[in-house]
Amino acid sequence: MRLHNLHDLDRSEGTVQLRKAGDDDSSLVLVPRPSDTDPNDPLRWPTWKKHVAFLSVCAFTFLTNYGIGGLAPAFYILSLEFDKTMAETSDLLLWPILVLGVFNFFWVPLANYFGKRPVFVFASGLLCACFIWGAVANSFNSLLWSNIIAAFAGSSTEALGASIVNDLYFLHERGAKMGLYMNFISGGNTLGPLICGFIVTGLSWRWHKWIAVILTGINFITVLLFVPETRYFRDENQNVVASTSNSSREEVVKSEEPAGDKSDAEAAPVTSMATVPKKTWVQELSLWCGLPPDTNLFIMFVRPLPMFVYPCVIYSFLGYAVSLVLTVSVNILNPFVLQAPPYSWSPMINGLINIPGFIGNVAGSYAGGWLVDVFCDWRARRNKGIFEPENRLYLCILPLLITGAGCVLFGYGVERTLHWTSLFFGYGMVSFALTAVPTITMAYVSDCVLPVNSDALMLVNGTKNIVAFGFLYGIVPWVTEVGYVDCFGAQAGIFVAVIAIGMALLIPFGAKWRHEQAKWRIIL
């Protein structure tokens, strides 16, 4: 069994020519390089087709978190209805978080071997069935297991949803699209509880599940009809290696032409006639897209594991994990704070805390996505058009400062029974990191290990949920024993340390390590 290294699969090793070198650097180089001869290359699909497929997958991941995490405002009511303690009721969210991470290690190898489309179609149908189960559940255990199996289905989008960004979009679009995807993930955990608060007050918690059933049923149809297979096998020349020479094969698009006026297929002129017939819509509906050559399913399951030694993967999973812990801690605890004396809010009013949470998510995805793309383009222009993945990490300073302060603010606000606005501001600032950090770091991982990005992103998404589960499983006893100030102060310190140490190591030394790791023969 021959082992490969990253250089075998991508000769650029992440350092690519983003702007055409020379006196006029106004031309943008398309990275990865679209196929010259295959109109079925997802990078050559019309823009509308890309967006419909991407948004269908985004809706899938949104609805997973909407149906599971959105139930949080009903926790206090559910604890009374089923006679459960605060810690026991929080299991409705804690165990699904673990499952959402662990089963990345199941879905991603299957998708890499059989294709992403059959996985998305099956999992979206299963998610709808699980929400029906939850809506008619008559016991706490039945409701808990419906959430766990729903998380099993929804875990298919955790890493594969991020991977599809790399299948459909070019490097200069990657940050913005990753930010949008992260906003859909986090939006389920913020808009879900906001909507659920009104539903629980006006109807019942079961109607929250029935609405999720309707929405997931519609999403299943869109996935079935409008999400073709995006897996595509490229050669080692898929990236444009940074160089001072201008290859005649470079596909460029003039920056004065707005990106979106044409399809990406039109924006990437080809140098020869297409030799592969274009698939019809009916052909794209097939759930069978062939198997990858020279491999088997066992290799697909074990191939990702050695990639844990890559520094970019370690930083991304730690940053994402601590960001998730902070946000879900507030989600779990705030109903027991705001629906109990002295606040004594109804679930409907309690749900309003998710408005600042949603605003924080949107701001974080904007900063970690579009703003980082603009910053990287600016850095590339100053570097003879050469893009270095480490440029993305500079803007991690924003969540470091904003979320660190927000975590402390929320802890003090609860323990000192401050005005509710302090809790709202604190949660909004905490939520900023939930989209900003993974958007930046997961795009960084994709830049560094593009040929095996789905495997690397699987490690990030799987392990961050396992770590988050470990923290969150003890969050209620922890805060009960030491209080909110010490608990959230400690979490803020851990978050700031992880983000700051990663920046301090990877910004100056990341490029050197990246080129060194490209020589490691650890890829099956």
Side-chain angles (χ1 to χ4, degrees):
M1 185 182 298
R2 181 173 177 239
L3 295 176
H4 301 273
N5 58 33
L6 282 172
H7 184 78
D8 293 337
L9 306 176
D10 178 10
R11 294 176 182 173
S12 73
E13 301 176 2
T15 299
V16 298
Q17 197 77 36
L18 183 59
R19 290 273 173 186
K20 192 172 182 181
D23 294 334
D24 179 12
D25 66 343
S26 63
S27 294
L28 189 66
V29 180
L30 296 181
V31 182
R33 190 193 313 278
S35 171
D36 288 350
T37 59
D38 190 355
N40 301 303
D41 181 354
L43 291 175
R44 293 185 56 189
W45 287 356
T47 303
W48 69 266
K49 184 176 180 180
K50 292 183 178 185
H51 290 350
V52 170
F54 177 55
L55 290 175
S56 296
V57 175
C58 286
F60 182 5
T61 195
F62 171 87
L63 291 170
T64 298
N65 291 319
Y66 169 85
I68 299 172
L71 200 60
F75 278 7
Y76 187 67
I77 291 174
L78 287 167
S79 69
L80 299 177
E81 179 177 336
F82 292 112
D83 192 26
K84 297 294 180 181
T85 65
M86 183 169 67
E88 290 172 329
T89 307
S90 67
D91 285 349
L92 292 171
L93 187 55
L94 291 179
W95 286 105
I97 285 176
L98 178 63
V99 171
L100 278 168
V102 168
F103 282 95
N104 274 273
F105 295 93
F106 172 78
W107 292 114
V108 171
L110 287 183
N112 287 340
Y113 193 66
F114 294 107
K116 294 183 176 74
R117 173 170 167 77
V119 167
F120 284 142
V121 170
F122 172 77
S124 60
L126 179 60
L127 182 68
C128 182
C130 288
F131 287 158
I132 295 174
W133 175 9
V136 299
N138 290 320
S139 69
F140 181 83
N141 284 338
S142 180
L143 178 61
L144 174 62
W145 275 103
S146 73
N147 274 4
I148 289 173
I149 305 303
F152 165 72
S155 65
S156 62
T157 65
E158 283 276 305
L160 293 177
S163 177
I164 207 174
V165 171
N166 304 310
D167 293 343
L168 296 175
Y169 298 103
F170 296 102
L171 185 147
H172 67 279
E173 305 170 303
R174 193 173 293 159
K177 297 305 185 296
M178 193 72 78
L180 182 62
Y181 169 70
M182 292 308 307
N183 217 34
F184 272 88
I185 288 185
S186 60
N189 288 318
T190 50
L191 291 181
L194 174 63
I195 297 170
C196 180
F198 287 90
I199 295 173
V200 169
T201 301
L203 298 167
S204 72
W205 64 266
R206 295 184 187 275
W207 266 104
H208 168 75
K209 290 287 188 179
W210 282 120
I211 291 173
V213 169
I214 296 169
L215 296 176
T216 50
I218 296 171
N219 181 241
F220 170 72
I221 295 173
T222 63
V223 169
L224 181 66
L225 299 180
F226 301 114
V227 181
E229 181 56 56
T230 64
R231 185 186 62 178
Y232 190 80
F233 301 109
R234 303 184 188 278
D235 61 26
E236 67 274 12
N237 294 314
Q238 64 179 336
N239 278 347
V240 182
V241 180
S243 172
T244 56
S245 62
N246 296 322
S247 171
S248 60
R249 292 185 61 208
E250 287 179 359
E251 293 83 5
V252 298
V253 54
K254 295 294 182 182
S255 61
E256 54 264 24
E257 293 182 11
D261 289 352
K262 299 181 180 180
S263 73
D264 291 312
E266 294 170 334
V270 297
T271 59
S272 62
M273 295 297 292
T275 60
V276 179
K278 182 173 174 32
K279 292 181 180 179
T280 65
W281 178 66
V282 174
Q283 288 175 321
E284 289 181 335
L285 292 180
S286 172
L287 297 179
W288 178 256
C289 60
L291 302 177
D294 303 323
T295 189
N296 57 58
L297 190 56
F298 173 76
I299 289 178
M300 287 297 183
F301 271 94
V302 300
R303 186 178 72 174
L305 302 180
M307 298 180 197
F308 222 131
V309 299
Y310 292 150
C312 59
V313 172
I314 297 172
Y315 184 50
S316 184
F317 113 77
L318 286 175
Y320 197 170
V322 292
S323 302
L324 179 64
V325 165
L326 296 181
T327 305
V328 179
S329 294
V330 178
N331 275 343
I332 291 173
L333 295 169
N334 82 76
F336 299 99
V337 173
L338 294 175
Q339 294 180 38
Y343 297 101
S344 301
W345 288 4
S346 69
M348 179 177 67
I349 303 302
N350 183 182
L352 296 179
I353 194 174
N354 291 286
I355 292 177
F358 177 69
I359 294 173
N361 290 157
V362 172
S365 65
Y366 172 81
W370 181 85
L371 191 60
V372 168
D373 279 347
V374 171
F375 178 77
C376 289
D377 184 56
W378 174 76
R379 293 276 298 183
R381 286 174 181 271
R382 294 169 59 89
N383 193 30
K384 299 180 181 180
I386 297 173
F387 167 81
E388 298 281 2
E390 288 72 29
N391 289 338
R392 294 189 185 275
L393 302 180
Y394 284 94
L395 293 192
C396 282
I397 190 66
L398 296 178
L400 184 150
L401 296 175
I402 294 172
T403 298
C407 193
V408 174
L409 176 60
F410 184 85
Y412 268 95
V414 174
E415 185 152 317
R416 306 296 165 83
T417 320
L418 301 181
H419 194 266
W420 59 265
T421 53
S422 64
L423 277 61
F424 275 44
F425 270 98
Y427 184 41
M429 295 164 73
V430 165
S431 299
F432 184 89
L434 184 59
T435 49
V437 171
T439 296
I440 294 171
T441 59
M442 288 170 68
Y444 175 58
V445 169
S446 298
D447 294 339
C448 294
V449 295
L450 183 62
V452 289
N453 72 86
S454 61
D455 293 315
L457 293 175
M458 179 198 76
L459 292 176
V460 172
N461 282 280
T463 51
K464 59 89 176 168
N465 275 49
I466 295 172
V467 171
F469 172 81
F471 267 94
L472 293 170
Y473 193 76
I475 190 66
V476 173
W478 187 13
V479 79
T480 302
E481 181 176 346
V482 305
Y484 280 85
V485 170
D486 288 348
C487 176
F488 279 84
Q491 290 185 75
I494 294 170
F495 172 80
V496 169
V498 168
I499 302 302
I501 292 173
M503 290 177 66
L505 293 176
L506 290 174
I507 290 177
F509 307 117
K512 179 181 178 181
W513 294 345
R514 174 164 44 84
H515 293 302
E516 187 63 33
Q517 75 183 22
K519 303 174 186 176
W520 301 344
R521 292 195 174 276
I522 60 173
I523 300 174
L524 292 174

